[in-house]
Amino acid sequence: IMATDQDLDHCFDFAMKLTVESAKIIREAIEGGKNIETKAGDWDLVTQYDKRVEEVLITGLAEEFPNHKFIGEETVSSANYLPALTDAPTWIIDPIDGTTNFVHAFPHTCISIALTVKSQLEIGIVYNPVLEQMFTARRGRGAYLNGKSIKSSSISELKSSLICIEASYATIEEIRDIVLGRLEAFVSVAHGIRTMGSAALTLCYVAMGAAEVYHSDNLMPWDVAAGALIIREAGGDIIDTSGGDFDLMKPRVLAIGNRKIAPELVKLVHLADKKTHRKRTA
Ligand code: 2AM
Ligand code: CA
Ligand code: CA
Ligand code: CA
């Protein structure tokens, strides 16, 4: 259905314009001071924004590309079914990544869109409409922030690294203990720790060299699809937390500015998990 570079050029241009257009919904909600969090039934309201943005994106893309498939967070959530990735051109969409930030008007929130063809990431777009940061990548063509080329960090030691970690899903005790164990290990070795609340944007921060590492095991494909391509095109990498190959459909993420830092990082996580396990079974 889609083979030529020209087709991908058009996909890219179209998706980027549609993203900026759709992001007005997010920016107006934040800038309009709607104070989303204090309203009654706040999570329903947030879900309405998520759903509306996703609907605008999928409607627009489906009209332009009737043969393409879609894996969007809100569609998957309401169907309670995650489709398998196929060879067909597939748009993987998170309409609002950083929902908690959105609710608080903390300015790290974005739309994340990726396109896969033959199960391979071809396009990644992450757009923060509050700070007007547009991160983009095409496979084999580099990564960009607002049209300027970006490169990931070459720092290869954790003691000189800024490490970003997700620390916001504390409902299941075992997961919480593992996250806290890893956080403790990172705090002990890193130059600094950040937890930004948007997986897609934090991957882009690693891509632009603003941080050396991003880690979370509790993510979904739409959180990471666009950011994964952007990191790789910026010279960094994204690997599984075990140190093995990254699986887009089952993301456990160590995103790194460069490969040299991977062994130290994987070992640290492994040791932290062993310690957590000993504590839990003691
Ligand atoms: P979201 O904002 O689209 O929900 C920090 O919460 C980051 O982890 C966000 O990118 C968030 O995406 C993502 N995330 C994925 N699954 C999550 C979950 N079950 N609970 C909280 N955040 C989740
Ligand atoms: Ca998300
Ligand atoms: Ca979301
Ligand atoms: Ca969500």
Side-chain angles (χ1 to χ4, degrees):
I1 317 168
M2 182 164 61
T4 69
D5 277 359
Q6 254 175 3
D7 293 334
L8 283 171
D9 286 347
H10 177 58
C11 287
F12 180 68
D13 292 341
F14 186 86
M16 209 160 77
K17 283 192 192 110
L18 185 63
T19 300
V20 172
E21 190 60 35
S22 315
K24 282 183 189 159
I25 298 170
I26 299 174
R27 189 171 51 221
E28 279 163 16
I30 291 179
E31 287 177 355
K34 283 211 167 55
N35 212 0
I36 297 153
E37 63 179 313
T38 59
K39 289 200 177 167
D42 52 353
W43 280 106
D44 279 353
L45 192 67
V46 172
T47 308
Q48 279 173 34
Y49 280 100
D50 291 320
K51 284 201 173 124
R52 208 187 314 158
V53 174
E54 181 160 319
E55 196 182 293
V56 171
L57 290 167
I58 293 185
T59 307
L61 288 165
E63 209 169 282
E64 187 74 11
F65 309 110
N67 297 320
H68 290 190
K69 296 200 158 145
F70 298 90
I71 298 177
E73 177 177 13
E74 303 311 318
T75 316
V76 168
S77 302
S78 53
N80 203 9
Y81 173 72
L82 178 64
L85 196 59
T86 66
D87 280 354
T90 303
W91 296 91
I92 303 178
I93 297 173
D94 193 336
I96 302 182
D97 187 59
T99 309
T100 308
N101 290 343
F102 173 71
V103 166
H104 288 267
F106 190 80
H108 293 255
T109 189
C110 65
I111 292 177
S112 174
I113 296 187
L115 177 69
T116 64
V117 181
K118 297 190 165 58
S119 303
Q120 178 154 248
L121 288 162
E122 291 286 354
I123 288 172
I125 296 170
V126 173
Y127 180 56
N128 176 341
V130 186
L131 303 180
E132 296 186 31
Q133 290 181 315
M134 170 66 84
F135 295 92
T136 58
R138 295 272 304 273
R139 185 170 63 88
R141 297 206 195 168
Y144 297 84
L145 165 55
N146 293 342
K148 282 171 85 175
S149 174
I150 53 173
K151 286 270 162 286
S152 59
S153 170
S154 58
I155 288 174
S156 59
E157 291 177 301
L158 290 178
K159 70 171 162 54
S160 314
S161 295
L162 198 54
I163 299 183
C164 302
I165 180 173
E166 247 22 284
S168 53
Y169 5 71
T171 47
I172 300 170
E173 194 185 276
E174 186 181 1
I175 293 177
R176 185 181 62 213
D177 287 351
I178 290 169
V179 170
L180 290 178
R182 292 176 186 178
L183 180 62
E184 187 182 7
F186 290 160
V187 167
S188 319
V189 298
H191 196 196
I193 305 292
R194 301 290 182 268
T195 177
M196 304 306 303
S198 161
L201 276 176
T202 314
L203 291 170
C204 294
Y205 299 159
V206 175
M208 71 187 283
E212 276 64 39
V213 174
Y214 173 65
H215 165 62
S216 176
D217 276 354
N218 306 288
L219 297 172
M220 297 296 285
W222 43 83
D223 295 316
V224 298
L229 184 66
I230 292 167
I231 283 210
R232 285 179 171 153
E233 289 297 325
D237 207 351
I238 183 165
I239 59 175
D240 188 88
T241 304
S242 67
D245 287 343
F246 167 69
D247 180 350
L248 176 58
M249 297 311 279
K250 283 198 183 74
R252 297 157 28 93
V253 166
L254 288 176
I256 47 187
N258 68 85
R259 270 270 170 188
K260 281 174 290 184
I261 210 163
E264 189 188 358
L265 188 59
V266 170
K267 195 169 141 198
L268 186 70
V269 169
H270 182 70
L271 288 175
D273 289 357
K274 262 171 75 173
K275 193 170 159 190
T276 302
H277 182 72
R278 275 202 307 274
K279 268 196 205 162
R280 285 185 61 82
T281 51

